[in-house]
Amino acid sequence: MSVRLSLLAILDQGPCYGYQLRSEFDRRTGSTWPLNVGQIYNTLDRLERDGLVEKGAVDEQGHVYWQITDAGRAEVSSWLRSPVERPSGTRDELAIKLAVAATLPGVDVAGVIQEQRRASLAQAAELRAAVYPGPDADGPEQLAWSLVTDSMIFAVEAELRWLEHVEQRLGQRPERTLGLELSTVRPKRGRPARRAA
């Protein structure tokens, strides 16, 4: 997720100081992505370096207000109009774990799947039972919180469907075909050659 562009989009609403940006980010994401203030200020420094924000007024408490530049506004506009592109590879730990486990002789892959299913079901139940903690049950902050929570519920439900799919795929294979012994072919040193897209 682009914290950088989210903070920039908030600054497009008006100048903010660091803690204020953190609070606004929490309000607009349902406090589901915790940010520390150091991360906010590091991001602001990079945004300033890139010409997307600039330091503005300082109030009587010493808060430095950051404001968006025209280039920053153009960046926000472009981000909001563009689709989110998913990476072509995966770094999903569960997918990698099951792919490796399925190729290791003697691993109880069904047990690995069952344990994950229990954890995913518990997470889904916890998310479904969650209640908005704020005071205004029909306000924009509640809407933001519910959108993020719904996304998390859909992700867990998709994970559960995928686990079922993995079980079915593994069930179609004789167990003797799953183990993958170490290769006797020694890889060449250096980076692998790039494949044409």
Side-chain angles (χ1 to χ4, degrees), residues 5-155:
L5 289 166
S6 297
L7 296 179
L8 197 56
I10 293 167
L11 285 172
D12 197 23
Q13 302 303 302
C16 296
Y17 58 91
Y19 278 94
Q20 183 181 12
L21 267 174
R22 178 181 171 199
S23 175
E24 288 296 327
F25 182 84
D26 284 349
R27 288 180 59 220
R28 294 162 197 273
T29 61
S31 299
T32 55
W33 184 294
L35 292 179
N36 66 49
V37 174
Q39 185 178 3
I40 301 279
Y41 284 109
N42 285 337
T43 302
L44 287 169
D45 288 341
R46 286 192 301 274
L47 289 169
E48 182 182 36
R49 177 199 67 205
D50 296 342
L52 303 175
V53 300
E54 58 192 14
K55 290 178 183 169
V58 178
D59 70 12
E60 58 277 356
Q61 284 89 29
H63 299 129
V64 176
Y65 284 79
W66 294 80
Q67 55 197 33
I68 195 167
T69 64
D70 289 340
R73 281 190 183 84
E75 187 88 6
V76 168
S77 178
S78 175
W79 177 59
L80 293 174
R81 287 190 324 267
S82 302
V84 173
E85 294 188 22
R86 307 288 182 192
S88 58
T90 184
R91 291 188 180 232
D92 181 281
E93 183 179 354
L94 179 58
I96 299 301
K97 178 180 179 178
L98 286 176
V100 170
T103 64
L104 295 173
V107 172
D108 177 15
V109 182
V112 174
I113 292 169
Q114 288 304 321
E115 190 61 35
Q116 184 62 47
R117 180 178 284 119
R118 278 191 286 279
S120 298
L121 285 168
Q123 183 182 16
E126 183 180 318
L127 287 167
R128 286 186 190 109
V131 176
Y132 175 63
D136 185 2
D138 284 330
E141 290 177 35
Q142 185 279 338
L143 176 62
W145 177 87
S146 68
L147 290 174
V148 174
T149 303
D150 288 348
S151 171
M152 294 165 65
I153 290 169
F154 279 98

